[in-house]
């Protein structure tokens, strides 16, 4: 089965200069967030991402994630409750 595209995590961080912003609904309120991230390329092709201020944990993941029908189905299933929020539905389609 052919892939549906790629989620380019490294390119996204590069394009945004590490600054990620957005909106989230918590406690019935629309809240805005902004965080700055840095990443390190690992020898195996993955990247390690952490907050620029060095607080919190880092995460290691592929620089690009192949978007497949199975991944979309998994994300749709696990996000079922979140998709009831109109803003999230708009983002995820």
């Amino acid at each position: 089965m052919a892939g549906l595209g790629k989620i380019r995590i490294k390119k996204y961080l590069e394009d945004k200069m590490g600054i990620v912003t957005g909106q989230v609904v918590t406690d019935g309120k629309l809240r805005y967030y902004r965080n700055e991230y840095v990443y390190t390329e690992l020898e195996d092709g993955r990247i390690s991402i952490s907050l620029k201020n060095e607080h919190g944990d880092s995460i290691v993941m592929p620089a690009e994630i192949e978007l497949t029908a199975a991944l979309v189905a998994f994300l749709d299933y696990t996000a079922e409750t979140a998709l009831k929020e109109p803003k999230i539905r708009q983002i995820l389609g």
Side-chain angles (χ1 to χ4, degrees):
M1 174 181 278
L4 302 172
K6 294 183 179 185
I7 302 172
R8 295 180 173 92
I9 306 296
K10 179 183 161 191
K11 182 174 181 347
Y12 178 79
L13 290 172
E14 288 171 347
D15 291 350
K16 297 293 184 176
M17 295 183 288
I19 300 170
V20 178
T21 61
Q23 301 173 2
V24 65
V25 176
T26 59
D27 302 325
K29 297 178 183 176
L30 179 61
R31 301 180 190 272
Y32 296 88
Y33 64 87
R34 180 185 188 278
N35 280 316
E36 293 185 49
Y37 295 91
V38 293
Y39 70 90
T40 304
E41 293 184 64
L42 305 176
E43 291 181 15
D44 62 3
R46 297 181 301 163
I47 56 175
S48 175
I49 304 170
S50 59
L51 287 169
K52 187 175 183 179
N53 66 14
E54 298 181 3
H55 293 289
D57 296 325
S58 63
I59 182 171
V60 175
M61 62 189 315
E64 292 185 346
I65 299 170
E66 186 72 31
L67 191 57
T68 64
L71 179 58
V72 170
F74 172 76
L75 293 175
D76 182 50
Y77 176 77
T78 57
E80 184 176 329
T81 301
L83 285 175
K84 293 178 183 174
E85 294 293 333
K87 182 66 175 173
I88 295 173
R89 188 180 305 115
Q90 178 185 3
I91 292 169
L92 296 179

